[in-house]
Amino acid sequence: MPLDVCQLPMVGGHPVLDLVNTLERGGTSPHDFLSDSSALLRWSVQVGLISDAEADQVGRAWGDEPAAAHAGLAAVRDIREGLYLVMLAAITGADDGAAGDPVAAGAALVGLHQRWSGAAARARFVLDSSQVRLVYGTVPAMLVPDRIAEAALDLMVAADLTRVRRCPVLEGGCGWLFLDRTRNGSRRWCRMADCGNAVKARRLTERRRAARPASP
């Protein structure tokens, strides 16, 4: 039975990389952990993009207008797919040939810019003590996708995208994306306790089998 979206390990190092990882892309029928608007709302609270109070506001708005809930989920999925294409293009030396389609990444950037432009149009300036802040998510029905669009912008313009990695699929990894924050850029696995140790154990078993003497 698949994990609940809130049980997924947060390995991305940034909320929107964890968003990308909510879709299992391997196999013939990928599993989407953001199965509905309720899952999206719970995940958004889990990763800290919105507060519990904001989740209540969004829940009421989506409950009153189901079409808005579907639109919000569709917008987030669209941002997720766009980010995936852009991040793949930023990754160098991917192990399974999945990286680097500049044309697809360019089209994705156009779509992401449109999503952010809409979010920015709904944002407003707020005087907070002695500081003015630009607050995204002022419209409850669009609060979640607007916050995610803001976070996507933060990743793309503020993070070092040469540090984006993909858990190596051909070596037995899961394909999740993450930011490598190690000093020497040596991180290879989403989590050593999961994919890393599993691959090491598999290799050890294979070596032991290979070292066994042939049966007479």
Side-chain angles (χ1 to χ4, degrees):
M1 183 175 180
L3 294 173
D4 181 81
V5 67
C6 293
Q7 295 175 303
L8 288 178
M10 302 298 171
V11 303
H14 194 284
V16 290
L17 287 181
D18 287 318
L19 171 68
V20 171
N21 296 337
T22 60
L23 177 63
E24 288 184 345
R25 300 170 188 274
T28 56
S29 56
H31 177 70
D32 193 344
F33 286 94
L34 297 181
S35 54
D36 53 29
S37 57
S38 174
L40 170 60
L41 198 56
R42 289 183 285 110
W43 178 86
S44 300
V45 173
Q46 178 79 6
V47 299
L49 285 173
I50 66 174
S51 67
D52 289 329
E54 289 172 330
D56 289 340
Q57 294 176 9
V58 175
R60 287 193 296 271
W62 285 357
D64 293 340
E65 192 175 352
H70 293 308
L73 178 61
V76 170
R77 286 173 170 171
D78 185 55
I79 294 170
R80 179 179 64 183
E81 186 61 22
L83 279 170
Y84 177 67
L85 294 173
V86 172
M87 293 303 106
L88 282 186
I91 295 171
T92 57
D95 71 328
D96 58 357
D101 184 344
V103 175
L109 284 171
V110 172
L112 289 168
H113 182 263
Q114 291 173 343
R115 291 292 183 189
W116 170 79
S117 296
R122 287 182 288 271
R124 59 187 171 88
F125 286 112
V126 173
L127 179 60
D128 183 5
S129 184
S130 60
Q131 184 181 23
V132 175
R133 297 185 299 112
L134 182 61
V135 177
Y136 288 78
T138 60
V139 178
M142 291 300 293
L143 192 155
V144 173
D146 285 359
R147 290 281 174 83
I148 289 175
E150 177 192 14
L153 176 69
D154 175 72
L155 174 72
M156 291 188 294
V157 304
D160 181 359
L161 297 187
T162 65
R163 289 281 187 152
V164 177
R165 304 283 185 266
R166 189 168 189 256
C167 192
V169 175
L170 291 187
E171 296 183 38
C174 64
W176 278 4
L177 302 185
F178 57 88
L179 278 175
D180 180 1
R181 299 186 186 278
T182 60
R183 181 173 298 180
N184 60 357
S186 61
R187 181 179 167 190
R188 301 191 63 238
W189 307 101
C190 62
R191 288 206 310 178
M192 196 63 204
D194 291 331
C195 290
N197 284 343
V199 171
K200 284 188 173 183
R202 191 181 309 123
R203 287 175 178 170
L204 179 60
T205 300
E206 291 170 353
R207 286 197 299 268
R208 286 174 174 171
R209 287 175 178 168
R212 289 174 184 168
S215 300

